[in-house]
Amino acid sequence: MPELDRRDFLKLLGATTGAAAAVGCTVDPIEKLIPYVIQPEEIVPGTSTTYSSTCMECPVGCGLHVTSREGRPIKLEGHPDHPINQGALCARGQVGLGRTYHPDRYEGPRVKGSNGSSPISWADAQAKIAGVIKVHPKGSWILGGPVGPTLSKLMDDWVSATGAGGRIVYQPFAHESLRSATEMVFGRRVLPEFDLSSADLVLDFSSDFLDQGLSPVEHARQFSQAKDLSRNKNGGAVLISVGPRLSMTASKADQWIVSRPGGEGALALALAMAIFPKKQSAVKGDLRSVKELFQGQNTSQLLKQAGVDQHSFDALVTRLLAAHHAVAMPPGVSATSTSGTSDAAAVLLLNVLLGAQGTRLKIPAEDSAEHGAPYSEVQALIAAMKAGKVNALLIHHANPGYSLPSASGFVEAVSKVGTVVSFATLADETSEAADLVLPDHDAFESWGDVSPRTGIRTLVQPTIRPLFHAEGSGTQGLGDLLAAKLLGLALLTFLMLLLLSNVITALSTFFLSRDMELLVAAPVDSVKLYGARLVETIVNSSWMVALLTVPLL
């Protein structure tokens, strides 16, 4: 390799410097580093801060640890002290922060016009929807997902205060069949709670509890404990999955028994009938209704309906009778069919015979969680929309234009509603069809609370300032919006009552004054006398009204 002389070195240096200068001459915007004028006590630049909050990606309500840097959340992990997830977090919860920074978020209110949607101020948007609700209060409805006990109560109060038609809580996957089955078997319309940590045999009837069950993170942790060899010297729990699809849970099972779609309930009933003679003595309570249920049932017919052969069935019965702490998981929402309630009821009955009730299966006395309304109520609202009886439809935390089946006719019905308002943060099928879009804050930008089950209530706290908060535009929290309206109504009502009281007090004071006869006898024009005395009395009795009017102006 030839040596590099001085001339070549200078040529190379000049070329490199020129290239660097050319790269530096770009049109990238200049960003200024502005230090804190008043630095918050809890923030140290360059050092992360952890906040506690609650995941809002699904109704389970897992606890969160939100890692933030300079006012920007950057990482989510499970809260180690939360009773449900105990430090773990699913993949959906991990990426929930991406919704906050999504580039397609609505940056402010929008109104639909002949040439598409265009920006509108919050004042004009609120005035528009308020005018419709004022004229047609009974024709105004709220349709949306679960929002937590506090905001839910606020919405119900708003419906009562405005005289609106009503509010329907809509959930695409509401576990309605399981709650109905629990009411059928135990007399309580609640969601059962399962604990797999002490089980030695887990029988999964298409619940897919490791992926999309009642509480996937919690059940995955419990199942891991049941499989832990250091805790279970006998080899840990055995997982047997029954279902037509190789789900995530079935792929991790020790045995997968393929059944026909919708045949899980028939197999569970056949198993309950097979173990009943040997298990009935250990079950407390009156079993006459169970015996009546089993009468007239044919095991061979049930197995044919389930699509399970006799050999697999006999082996499964042997395992159930040999297990000391067995538990059966009812079908999940992905396996729900027209017989979903009876299928889930059969699995719950099987748990009773297995002795799981009270330990591995708990039935809470009440259910504090907010669940979706029955599908029949949603259908009734769609029918009213088609009939032109809905003048204003407010949709929040839901995308029924996508999740409802096309046979429901929701898309057609929306076109017949006078004014459709969407509070979506991101564009979706429902917001695209809305007349007004009033974007809500993201879950990491607002306060809230969650009560996923009885005895558990956690807070949702903001970990970032709303990214879009321009004056008259930007996003606004739905709870803040409703609270402001309710507070305005309350203050206005109180003001009217106070004004009426002060007028009555002023008039009674004026006419019942003891010195009135003396003033009338004075050589003063009676009109001027009465006028001056009336003004004085009203001013003295109405100063509080004037003081309370100031915040409303």
Side-chain angles (χ1 to χ4, degrees):
M1 179 178 177
E3 295 183 0
L4 184 66
D5 58 17
R6 183 189 303 176
R7 180 173 298 178
D8 293 335
F9 172 75
L10 292 176
K11 289 180 180 180
L12 181 60
L13 180 62
T16 305
T17 305
V23 171
C25 298
T26 62
V27 293
D28 291 341
I30 299 175
E31 297 183 4
K32 297 181 179 180
L33 296 177
I34 303 177
Y36 283 114
V37 178
I38 302 177
Q39 180 176 320
E41 294 182 0
E42 69 275 10
I43 293 180
V44 177
T47 303
S48 62
T49 306
T50 302
Y51 298 93
S52 296
S53 189
T54 307
C55 180
M56 300 294 288
E57 287 296 314
C58 76
V60 176
C62 293
L64 286 181
H65 265 179
V66 184
T67 302
S68 177
R69 282 279 301 270
E70 285 81 48
R72 292 288 188 270
I74 58 175
K75 187 68 174 71
L76 304 179
E77 290 293 348
H79 197 304
D81 297 327
H82 196 276
I84 293 179
N85 58 318
Q86 296 186 13
L89 194 63
C90 69
R92 183 176 174 182
Q94 291 277 358
V95 301
L97 194 59
R99 200 185 308 273
T100 305
Y101 299 117
H102 201 290
D104 294 336
R105 281 186 61 183
Y106 286 114
E107 298 184 13
R110 301 189 69 85
V111 59
K112 181 188 290 185
S114 56
N115 298 324
S117 65
S118 58
I120 185 176
S121 68
W122 273 99
D124 293 341
Q126 293 181 49
K128 186 173 182 178
I129 185 59
V132 177
I133 296 175
K134 184 177 181 180
V135 176
H136 305 285
K138 291 297 182 182
S140 304
W141 286 79
I142 295 180
L143 176 65
V147 291
T150 300
L151 184 53
S152 178
K153 179 65 166 55
L154 190 60
M155 288 184 177
D156 292 337
D157 291 344
W158 182 88
V159 170
S160 300
T162 58
R167 171 182 174 235
I168 293 180
V169 179
Y170 167 68
Q171 268 186 295
F173 308 114
H175 300 287
E176 184 178 342
S177 298
L178 183 55
R179 286 191 293 133
S180 299
T182 309
E183 184 179 24
M184 183 186 301
V185 177
F186 301 103
R188 301 173 187 170
R189 191 175 179 80
V190 297
L191 280 181
E193 299 174 7
F194 292 90
D195 186 356
L196 312 180
S197 58
S198 62
D200 57 1
L201 174 61
V202 179
L203 187 55
D204 170 47
F205 287 93
S206 297
S207 72
D208 199 9
F209 65 88
L210 292 178
D211 185 30
Q212 54 183 3
L214 292 172
S215 184
V217 174
E218 181 182 26
H219 289 158
R221 172 179 51 80
Q222 294 172 352
F223 183 65
S224 175
Q225 294 173 354
K227 295 283 285 185
D228 189 357
L229 295 179
S230 63
R231 299 177 52 180
N232 304 279
K233 303 303 181 182
N234 57 353
V238 175
L239 172 60
I240 301 176
S241 181
V242 178
R245 185 175 67 91
L246 186 63
S247 63
M248 177 181 289
T249 304
S251 66
K252 297 181 180 298
D254 297 281
Q255 182 183 2
W256 174 35
I257 299 177
V258 182
S259 66
R260 290 179 178 174
E264 295 86 356
L267 179 59
L269 184 58
L271 290 172
M273 293 171 57
I275 68 173
F276 181 74
K278 295 186 178 181
K279 292 288 188 179
Q280 60 176 328
S281 59
V283 179
K284 299 179 181 180
D286 189 0
L287 297 178
R288 285 178 297 179
S289 59
V290 177
K291 294 178 181 179
E292 293 175 0
L293 173 65
F294 291 161
Q295 290 178 356
Q297 299 289 345
N298 185 279
T299 301
S300 299
Q301 188 65 30
L302 290 173
L303 293 181
K304 183 179 180 181
Q305 181 180 344
V308 177
D309 61 88
Q310 186 68 44
H311 176 72
S312 299
F313 174 75
D314 293 339
L316 192 54
V317 171
T318 302
R319 279 185 174 273
L320 286 176
L321 292 175
H324 299 286
H325 307 287
V327 61
M329 304 295 289
V333 291
S334 62
T336 299
S337 62
T338 54
S339 60
T341 301
S342 59
D343 292 346
V347 177
L348 292 177
L349 177 60
L350 178 60
N351 275 296
V352 174
L353 297 178
L354 290 172
Q357 184 181 1
T359 53
R360 299 171 298 283
L361 169 63
K362 298 179 181 179
I363 308 300
E366 59 181 2
D367 196 347
S368 62
E370 186 179 22
H371 298 290
Y375 185 61
S376 57
E377 294 187 15
V378 179
Q379 288 179 311
L381 176 61
I382 294 175
M385 293 163 59
K386 291 182 178 179
K389 298 179 181 179
V390 179
N391 303 98
L393 181 63
L394 281 63
I395 305 174
H396 66 92
H397 296 87
N399 184 14
Y402 172 79
S403 56
L404 279 173
S406 57
S408 67
F410 179 82
V411 177
E412 174 191 353
V414 164
S415 61
K416 298 182 180 180
V417 177
T419 303
V420 179
V421 182
S422 173
F423 294 91
T425 58
L426 288 167
D428 54 33
E429 288 78 4
T430 305
S431 66
E432 291 294 326
D435 300 290
L436 279 172
V437 177
L438 306 180
D440 191 6
H441 287 330
D442 181 75
F444 293 97
E445 298 175 337
S446 56
W447 287 97
D449 61 347
V450 179
S451 182
R453 65 180 63 163
T454 303
I456 299 178
R457 187 165 182 175
T458 56
L459 288 178
V460 180
Q461 69 165 321
T463 55
I464 183 175
R465 182 183 181 185
L467 297 178
F468 310 108
H469 54 275
E471 185 69 25
S473 183
T475 60
Q476 285 193 21
L478 179 58
D480 300 338
L481 194 62
L482 292 178
K485 296 300 179 183
L486 282 176
L487 182 60
L489 287 174
L491 286 176
L492 187 60
T493 302
F494 178 71
L495 179 62
M496 292 299 102
L497 292 174
L498 187 61
L499 180 61
L500 178 62
S501 174
N502 283 331
V503 169
I504 295 175
T505 302
L507 293 177
S508 62
T509 302
F510 175 75
F511 287 108
L512 298 179
S513 178
R514 294 183 178 181
D515 61 349
M516 184 60 70
E517 295 181 0
L518 178 62
L519 294 176
V520 171
V524 182
D525 183 41
S526 60
V527 176
K528 294 181 179 180
L529 175 65
Y530 276 91
R533 192 60 182 272
L534 182 61
V535 170
E536 179 186 3
T537 307
I538 292 177
V539 169
N540 290 337
S541 60
S542 301
W543 64 270
M544 188 177 295
V545 176
L547 184 63
L548 289 176
T549 307
V550 175
L552 298 177
L553 296 179

